Amino acid sequence: MDLKERKKKILEVIIKDYINSAEPVGSRTLSKRYNLGISPATIRNEMADLEDLGFLMQPHTSSGRIPTQKAYRYYVDEIMQVQKLAKVLRNDIHNGYLEVKQELDNTMDHTAKVLSRLTNYASVVLSPKITCFNCKHVQLIPLIRERILMVVVTQEGLAKNVEMSLSREIDTVQALKLSNVLNSFLKQISFSEMNLELIDQIQELTAEEAALLREIFPVLRKTLLEEDSEIRSMGLTNLFNYPEFSDVDKIRHLINVIEEKPLLANVLEGGDENQIIKISIGDENDNENLKELSIITATYELHGETVGAFGVIGPTRMNYDNVSAVLGYIRDELNTNLSKLLTE
């Protein structure tokens, strides 16, 4: 639907005012706050037309109007202009990534934190599957008692850390020996060809070491062949500051949504790979639990291929243009950061 310029301008200021105040907007308020160049009576008539067209609704008989989900969609598609982030903010984001320790987990954690901080919404980040990469090196590090840390490094230079418990404690010498055995296999055959029977062919292993390797091997295999990407979420408490989530039942529902990792993974994986930034508003979300929320997601790439996604979750009264600008710039920084991980 193509609105005339005056209606379009009035709808724009109503949406922006409501995003900032969460209060229904009346014609007198618009006349005082914005230089629209028309009388309050004319504004009232235009608002009545916008209500008839399904862009505005009146929550109470004597109150002003608020935008509908249809209005937000029209705003996103026809009115919104995503502005370039201020230089100070761009530098802050850029320097933040420079300070992150160059490991995949740290990069994903940092992305979730900076998204939540800059948007004041809840952030979600879907890390790339380890199967996107080729295993290069495995290192076993003794921790406390029977606990060990297994560090898996890919050919691309990305690292994945997995803690596990063994049936007995091992020292650094044994850990190094077992690491060398695993790495020798990786040099000779593909990981998909490795199996437990091969352990019996290693003559230099003691019976105890062979038994330990049988414990380690399934965990390593699961790490490399796991189907699910890791989901990180941050900033749930940010949403408690919005009046849309002020009552206990809505807070409880919101917590359940954010903690439902498979649901979030489906949302992040469900976008069109050719659509860099996707905005889903309220009822546009397929899942019933997301009908009162807006979700803005962006994809990120390695070698030109989409390998993951991230985004923010908030009320339908979301600051769409600002969030889109933040996601767009973080996407560029994340792509650059991961490219450095691959080449260094």
Side-chain angles (χ1 to χ4, degrees):
M1 180 182 296
D2 187 21
L3 296 179
K4 292 183 178 180
E5 286 305 313
R6 188 162 72 184
K7 281 186 173 62
K8 187 182 292 188
K9 183 62 179 178
I10 290 173
L11 182 61
E12 178 182 2
V13 295
I14 289 174
I15 289 174
K16 289 184 175 179
D17 193 278
Y18 185 65
I19 286 173
N20 291 328
S21 68
E23 295 290 338
V25 185
S27 57
R28 191 174 298 277
T29 298
L30 292 182
S31 179
K32 289 181 178 180
R33 291 181 182 173
Y34 306 97
N35 183 24
L36 297 175
I38 52 179
S39 67
T42 303
I43 294 174
R44 272 195 302 275
N45 291 334
E46 295 286 17
M47 290 177 69
D49 288 345
L50 288 169
E51 186 173 2
D52 291 339
L53 292 169
F55 291 105
L56 299 178
M57 62 178 291
Q58 196 170 21
H60 307 289
T61 305
S62 59
S63 67
R65 271 79 165 182
I66 65 175
T68 62
Q69 291 184 14
K70 180 180 178 180
Y72 290 128
R73 172 47 61 189
Y74 185 85
Y75 173 78
V76 166
D77 291 342
E78 305 293 339
I79 300 176
M80 182 177 77
Q81 294 182 343
V82 179
Q83 302 295 324
K84 189 176 182 179
L85 293 180
K87 185 176 181 180
V88 173
L89 187 54
R90 297 200 309 270
N91 289 339
D92 178 55
I93 296 172
H94 177 72
N95 292 333
Y97 274 103
L98 291 179
E99 294 172 359
V100 175
K101 186 178 179 182
Q102 295 296 295
E103 290 183 2
L104 180 60
D105 286 347
N106 294 328
T107 300
M108 296 296 105
D109 286 339
H110 176 75
T111 300
K113 290 177 183 177
V114 72
L115 268 175
S116 173
R117 175 172 62 85
L118 293 180
T119 64
N120 289 317
Y121 300 120
S123 66
V124 288
V125 176
L126 180 71
S127 64
K129 296 178 181 178
I130 198 71
T131 50
C132 294
F133 315 108
N134 299 307
C135 185
K136 177 184 178 181
H137 181 77
V138 177
Q139 183 176 2
L140 305 175
I141 303 171
L143 297 176
I144 300 174
R145 298 184 179 89
E146 295 83 17
R147 300 286 296 175
I148 65 166
L149 175 68
M150 180 164 54
V151 181
V152 181
V153 181
T154 70
Q155 295 285 357
E156 294 81 2
L158 301 177
K160 185 174 181 66
N161 301 326
V162 180
E163 282 194 34
M164 63 173 293
S165 294
L166 298 175
S167 58
R168 56 180 290 272
E169 186 175 353
I170 64 173
D171 57 30
T172 54
V173 175
Q174 290 172 312
L176 179 60
K177 182 178 179 180
L178 295 177
S179 299
N180 290 337
V181 169
L182 290 171
N183 289 316
S184 67
F185 274 130
L186 292 173
K187 291 178 182 178
Q188 298 171 30
I189 60 176
S190 66
F191 187 79
S192 61
E193 297 173 319
M194 294 176 64
N195 55 65
L196 290 175
E197 285 72 24
L198 293 174
I199 297 174
D200 297 328
Q201 302 174 17
I202 309 172
Q203 297 180 355
E204 64 266 25
L205 290 178
T206 66
E208 284 186 346
E209 290 168 344
L212 289 170
L213 205 55
R214 289 190 184 91
E215 296 178 38
I216 295 168
F217 187 83
V219 178
L220 175 59
R221 185 175 183 83
K222 181 181 178 182
T223 300
L224 291 173
L225 301 181
E226 62 186 1
E227 292 298 325
D228 296 330
S229 300
E230 290 187 20
I231 283 281
R232 292 164 170 79
S233 59
M234 195 77 64
L236 172 62
T237 55
N238 286 342
L239 300 184
F240 299 163
N241 297 321
Y242 295 94
E244 289 90 339
F245 309 113
S246 58
D247 67 72
V248 174
D249 288 338
K250 287 191 175 182
I251 289 176
R252 186 181 295 112
H253 173 75
L254 187 61
I255 292 173
N256 291 337
V257 168
I258 300 298
E259 290 184 345
E260 194 174 341
K261 303 298 184 182
L263 169 60
L264 298 181
N266 288 336
V267 169
L268 290 171
E269 291 177 328
D272 182 353
E273 288 189 3
N274 296 320
Q275 189 176 14
I276 294 175
I277 294 182
K278 177 185 176 183
I279 299 176
S280 297
I281 303 170
D283 290 336
E284 296 172 359
N285 294 300
D286 294 332
N287 192 288
E288 192 65 32
N289 293 322
L290 303 175
K291 296 296 185 181
E292 295 184 2
L293 301 167
S294 280
I295 304 172
I296 304 183
T297 61
T299 59
Y300 62 89
E301 302 174 346
L302 287 171
H303 299 313
E305 297 290 332
T306 298
V307 295
F310 60 93
V312 297
I313 299 175
T316 54
R317 183 181 60 88
M318 183 182 283
N319 197 334
Y320 294 100
D321 43 359
N322 177 66
V323 173
S324 297
V326 170
L327 262 65
Y329 190 77
I330 288 179
R331 178 183 187 272
D332 292 340
E333 285 293 321
L334 183 55
N335 287 344
T336 301
N337 190 272
L338 292 182
S339 295
K340 290 180 180 178
L341 283 176
L342 301 182
T343 55
E344 291 179 354

